[in-house]
Amino acid sequence: MPHSAPEISLTDGLDIVIDHDIDCDGAPDAVGALSEPTHENTLDHDMITEDTEDTQEKQVEGAVKVEAKPEVKLEDLFADVESDEEFPSSNHQNIKISSSPEAPSSPAQAGGDARASDNDVMRSFYQRLFPWRYLFQWLNHSPTPSTDFGHREFAFTLQNDAYLRYQSFPTAETLRKDVLRLMPSRFEIGPVYTTNPRDRKTLRKSSAFKPLAKELCFDIDLTDYDDIRTCCDKANICIKCWQFITMAIKVIDIALRDDFGFKHIVWIYSGRRGAHAWVCDKKARQMDDQKRRAIAGYLEVIKGGAQGGKKVNVKRPLHSHVARSLDILKTHFQSDILQDQDPWETDEKFDRLLELLPDRSLNDALRKKWSSAPGRASTSKWADIDVLAKSGASKNLDSKALLEAKQDILLEYTYPRLDIEVSKHLNHLLKSPFVVHPRTGRVCVPINPMKLGEFDPLDVPTVTDLLQEIDEWTAPEDDNGEKTVQDWEKTRLKPYVEYFKSFVQALMKDEKPVKVKRERDENVAGAMEF
């Protein structure tokens, strides 16, 4: 496993569609089966078999006809939102703005039948709550439309589970209108291409159509921890096992910032059982697959599946990243692993711990002690290792080897388990922030890495909760009606949108052309001349 930070220097798809019963965090539904499309479809736009959250293979069944994209004027770009004072745009001045354009009456009162997969619920969400403007600015890196957004690929997962690829849009408003027309259960974001993805078939050479840039992404899913988490399994989660995600965010975030110098990293809750990192710095977006693989390999410590065997094999002396990770994770190991997960409570489970210890005599002494005290807590068993080692249970004990084994065990039970394939490839797609998970109804909200202890995935608002909060909202008594209140500001979605907005503004500030700053400096210097 390489552990010197790799140097980063800046320097056709298949026409198929899927129809399947699939868990939207990537794992196929345990009781699902392949189903026939709900209506007859005709092939018009490209589809792909790749699931973008867990890279699972999908099956071909039908296709969806897509209408020609409507002509949209640039002045319609942000018709549904107010302009940012920090980043004003000349394209939408003096436009009367509606808080909730085309907003229907909320379906939140529909009772138990209103679900995230209902068209009325999703239409209200996309019209009233989805932060289209900030999504556009995030991907465009500027308030003025550019190819950063216009040549970006979007993919839609439709209500019949068909997967529509190579969609592209010149503005946020055109994307919004197509989403409202197609009503996808979710949509995903791919790379920026050399040309408009919709026009790729018109090129004389297919090799001319290739990805140029995309955020460096990381995917962490709790199903990858099923062999060590004891509280839940499969798609189920609780606040105890969510701590695995908390640990992963802490380790990966600081490594990306300190070891690679990345600055603009946003973490997004997947809506069910995981989290995604988007590294948005320009140097990250422009990396080729080789550089992406190098960073993914640098961060990969846990190797091997659930079949057993030693999953951690790090070189000594420890690389600074591994040593720092151990320091971050050691307190989590005591509280979140030994106490909350209690991974070695039974005889069958403590056998796994003994497999990872290097001394046979010590192991025999530990097995005898633990077998005579069934149900002994994992916290006590971990302490027993040092107690028996010091008691002379093994005459040939190598204390250095024992220490290294304990470090490896700590890493195996706490270090991030990454879906590396998501990070390796420039052309991989990943679920958009702020979409709704169809199974849970929860919104894929950003996670503030500075407030990880406050984030509870089970407390993330659902789409029906949010629509009901809009209906129940009342203006403050001191509100004179001068300021338009956006619908998302009336709900628990507000802090998440505001956090994302501040992240996007910082990114756009750093992306401003250098010449603007140089001209400003020259103007200041000229004004000081006498």
Side-chain angles (χ1 to χ4, degrees):
M1 175 190 64
H3 270 297
S4 56
E7 181 180 354
I8 305 175
S9 58
L10 300 183
T11 49
D12 278 325
L14 299 174
D15 289 346
I16 52 180
V17 62
I18 58 157
D19 184 274
H20 57 105
D21 188 2
I22 192 160
D23 176 281
C24 289
D25 269 272
D29 193 327
V31 297
L34 294 179
S35 58
E36 293 298 323
T38 56
H39 59 274
E40 184 176 355
N41 303 317
T42 56
L43 183 62
D44 188 28
H45 285 278
D46 288 42
M47 315 293 178
I48 191 171
T49 58
E50 176 186 26
D51 180 86
T52 59
E53 186 157 352
D54 285 304
T55 63
Q56 301 256 349
E57 188 173 343
K58 299 179 178 179
Q59 306 228 357
V60 177
E61 287 290 343
V64 174
K65 184 176 181 179
V66 179
E67 300 170 7
K69 61 181 180 181
E71 181 180 353
V72 177
K73 298 179 181 179
L74 289 181
E75 54 264 29
D76 294 334
L77 175 60
F78 298 125
D80 58 332
V81 289
E82 293 181 328
S83 63
D84 243 350
E85 294 181 1
E86 186 175 354
F87 298 99
S89 171
S90 60
N91 292 328
H92 53 278
Q93 294 182 8
N94 301 321
I95 296 176
K96 185 177 181 180
I97 299 172
S98 169
S99 171
S100 305
E102 309 169 23
S105 58
S106 171
Q109 307 292 344
D113 292 334
R115 298 179 297 115
S117 58
D118 289 345
N119 276 354
D120 288 344
V121 172
M122 291 307 301
R123 182 173 291 106
S124 293
F125 173 77
Y126 285 133
Q127 288 179 333
R128 308 183 71 176
L129 291 165
F130 194 92
W132 296 107
R133 181 171 186 233
Y134 304 128
L135 183 83
F136 166 82
Q137 291 179 341
W138 170 51
L139 297 174
N140 190 65
H141 315 111
S142 166
T144 305
S146 71
T147 55
D148 276 10
F149 189 82
H151 288 182
R152 172 81 69 161
E153 178 189 0
F154 291 85
F156 296 152
T157 300
L158 304 183
Q159 296 292 345
N160 68 342
D161 284 330
Y163 194 52
L164 184 62
R165 275 201 66 175
Y166 297 115
Q167 305 305 291
S168 59
F169 307 92
T171 67
E173 183 63 13
T174 53
L175 169 61
R176 175 181 173 273
K177 287 181 177 179
D178 224 30
V179 167
L180 289 172
R181 180 175 61 83
L182 294 172
M183 294 304 299
S185 57
R186 71 177 186 184
F187 61 89
E188 292 159 347
I189 298 168
V192 179
Y193 282 92
T194 49
T195 189
N196 188 324
R198 290 182 186 265
D199 299 335
R200 71 201 177 284
K201 290 184 178 179
T202 65
L203 299 175
R204 296 184 64 182
K205 293 183 178 180
S206 59
S207 59
F209 179 70
K210 56 185 179 181
L212 289 178
K214 191 179 99 36
E215 293 76 12
L216 174 64
C217 297
F218 296 90
D219 182 8
I220 309 164
D221 194 307
L222 277 174
T223 54
D224 292 326
Y225 293 82
D226 278 357
D227 63 319
I228 58 174
R229 62 172 175 158
T230 60
C231 52
C232 306
D233 65 353
K234 299 180 181 177
N236 303 306
I237 68 167
C238 68
I239 194 61
K240 287 184 178 181
C241 57
W242 183 257
Q243 298 313 307
F244 287 111
I245 304 294
T246 297
M247 290 182 256
I249 293 176
K250 286 184 178 181
V251 168
I252 300 301
D253 192 80
I254 195 170
L256 292 171
R257 295 180 192 276
D258 289 5
D259 299 348
F260 296 97
F262 295 129
K263 178 180 178 183
H264 302 287
I265 305 167
V266 62
W267 290 88
I268 305 294
Y269 171 48
S270 73
R272 193 175 199 178
R273 59 172 187 255
H276 304 149
W278 297 73
V279 185
C280 306
D281 302 63
K282 191 170 185 177
K283 67 178 181 179
R285 302 197 309 266
Q286 294 178 340
M287 289 191 304
D288 59 21
D289 285 356
Q290 183 178 2
K291 294 185 179 70
R292 291 168 191 264
R293 285 194 297 269
I295 292 181
Y298 175 87
L299 295 172
E300 187 179 28
V301 170
I302 306 294
K303 296 184 179 182
Q307 293 76 24
K310 198 170 186 291
K311 293 183 173 63
V312 175
N313 292 283
V314 291
K315 295 180 180 179
R316 262 68 181 191
L318 291 176
H319 185 275
S320 58
H321 163 63
V322 179
R324 180 185 58 217
S325 299
L326 275 170
D327 192 51
I328 292 171
L329 296 168
K330 61 186 180 183
T331 55
H332 286 281
F333 181 73
Q334 288 292 331
S335 59
D336 299 320
I337 303 301
L338 297 182
Q339 294 178 24
D340 290 347
Q341 294 296 328
D342 196 6
W344 310 307
E345 178 185 7
T346 65
D347 289 4
E348 180 183 11
K349 291 180 178 179
F350 73 59
D351 278 345
R352 173 59 183 164
L353 173 58
L354 295 177
E355 287 176 7
L356 300 173
L357 295 175
D359 188 277
R360 179 173 297 181
S361 298
L362 176 62
N363 288 3
D364 290 342
L366 289 169
R367 187 186 302 278
K368 182 178 179 181
K369 180 178 180 66
W370 296 342
S371 296
S372 64
R376 186 170 175 80
S378 296
T379 304
S380 299
K381 287 175 178 172
W382 185 251
D384 290 340
I385 298 173
D386 286 342
V387 171
L388 288 183
K390 293 175 181 178
S391 70
S394 173
K395 297 180 180 179
N396 301 314
L397 180 66
D398 184 337
S399 58
K400 181 173 179 290
L402 179 61
L403 173 62
E404 292 177 355
K406 292 182 66 179
Q407 290 175 338
D408 291 350
I409 292 168
L410 190 154
L411 289 170
E412 178 169 327
Y413 282 81
T414 58
Y415 190 87
R417 301 185 174 202
L418 302 172
D419 183 350
I420 295 298
E421 295 305 313
V422 173
S423 310
K424 286 181 178 180
H425 304 295
L426 180 62
N427 64 349
H428 202 285
L429 294 99
L430 196 62
K431 184 165 52 180
S432 170
F434 291 103
V435 297
V436 176
H437 193 293
R439 298 293 176 113
T440 65
R442 296 192 186 104
V443 181
C444 300
V445 296
I447 303 170
N448 187 342
M450 302 304 294
K451 299 180 179 180
L452 288 174
E454 300 175 16
F455 186 84
D456 181 353
L458 302 180
D459 192 46
V460 170
T462 66
V463 60
T464 50
D465 288 342
L466 295 171
L467 293 174
Q468 185 170 350
E469 289 170 17
I470 295 175
D471 292 340
E472 296 173 351
W473 183 83
T474 56
E477 293 182 0
D478 58 349
D479 184 7
N480 54 17
E482 292 182 0
K483 183 183 183 299
T484 301
V485 180
Q486 303 294 311
D487 277 338
W488 56 263
E489 295 180 277
K490 304 172 184 176
T491 71
R492 286 188 294 143
L493 199 60
K494 180 179 179 180
Y496 300 108
V497 175
E498 288 179 338
Y499 172 75
F500 188 68
K501 175 184 176 182
S502 64
F503 172 81
V504 171
Q505 288 178 339
L507 175 63
M508 288 198 299
K509 185 176 180 180
D510 279 1
E511 294 274 334
K512 282 184 178 180
V514 177
K515 66 178 182 179
V516 174
K517 183 178 184 300
R518 184 165 58 245
E519 289 172 0
R520 187 189 306 118
D521 292 343
E522 289 173 353
N523 290 338
V524 171
M528 295 178 65
E529 294 178 0
F530 296 96

